């Protein structure tokens, strides 16, 4: 199993629009081979001293059975359509692909 943390920086004032489009795509992703978890999250203010907040970032928490499943996800037809729909909303994307230590 691999874990993926995707950090998506959203253009100013477009967060709600992005989240709506993202959530509409989640059911198709969850049906993909090897998808265990696929959840969009936003920062939650806790007051904890070590917490770094960024209200313009959507963090996607993903779990996949294998790297091959993740690679197939990136090329899935619904993901190509999704990326086209949000390209004007997204400023930057970064991924962390992780395995258990």
């Amino acid at each position: 199993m691999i874990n993926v943390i995707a950090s998506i920086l959203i253009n100013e004032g477009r967060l709600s629009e992005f989240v709506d489009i993202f959530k509409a795509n989640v059911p198709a992703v969850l049906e993909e081979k090897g998808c265990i978890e696929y959840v969009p999250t936003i920062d939650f203010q806790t007051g904890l001293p070590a917490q770094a907040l960024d209200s313009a970032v959507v963090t996607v928490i993903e779990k996949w059975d294998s790297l091959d499943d993740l690679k197939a996800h990136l090329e899935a037809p619904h993901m190509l359509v999704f990326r086209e729909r949000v390209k004007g909303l997204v400023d930057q994307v970064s991924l962390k692909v992780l395995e258990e230590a």
Side-chain angles (χ1 to χ4, degrees):
M1 181 178 67
I2 59 171
N3 297 283
V4 179
I5 306 296
S7 296
I8 307 169
L9 179 61
I10 307 302
N11 292 328
E12 187 175 341
R14 307 300 294 272
L15 182 70
S16 177
E17 183 180 358
F18 175 85
V19 169
D20 288 345
I21 294 168
F22 190 99
K23 285 183 175 182
N25 194 47
V26 168
V29 175
L30 292 173
E31 290 180 11
E32 291 180 46
K33 178 186 174 294
C35 182
I36 300 167
E37 182 177 2
Y38 192 76
V39 180
T41 64
I42 56 174
D43 286 356
F44 174 67
Q45 174 61 263
T46 65
L48 296 171
Q51 183 179 15
L53 295 171
D54 191 336
S55 62
V57 171
V58 172
T59 302
V60 183
I61 301 169
E62 308 176 38
K63 291 186 181 185
W64 296 90
D65 281 333
S66 70
L67 180 57
D68 287 340
D69 292 331
L70 173 61
K71 287 179 178 179
H73 159 70
L74 296 174
E75 298 300 322
H78 57 269
M79 289 307 297
L80 301 177
V81 170
F82 167 78
R83 282 195 289 280
E84 185 65 27
R85 289 188 68 201
V86 300
K87 72 179 179 182
L89 309 178
V90 174
D91 182 50
Q92 184 178 6
V93 177
S94 66
L95 291 179
K96 291 186 72 77
V97 180
L98 310 160
E99 64 180 349
E100 189 173 329

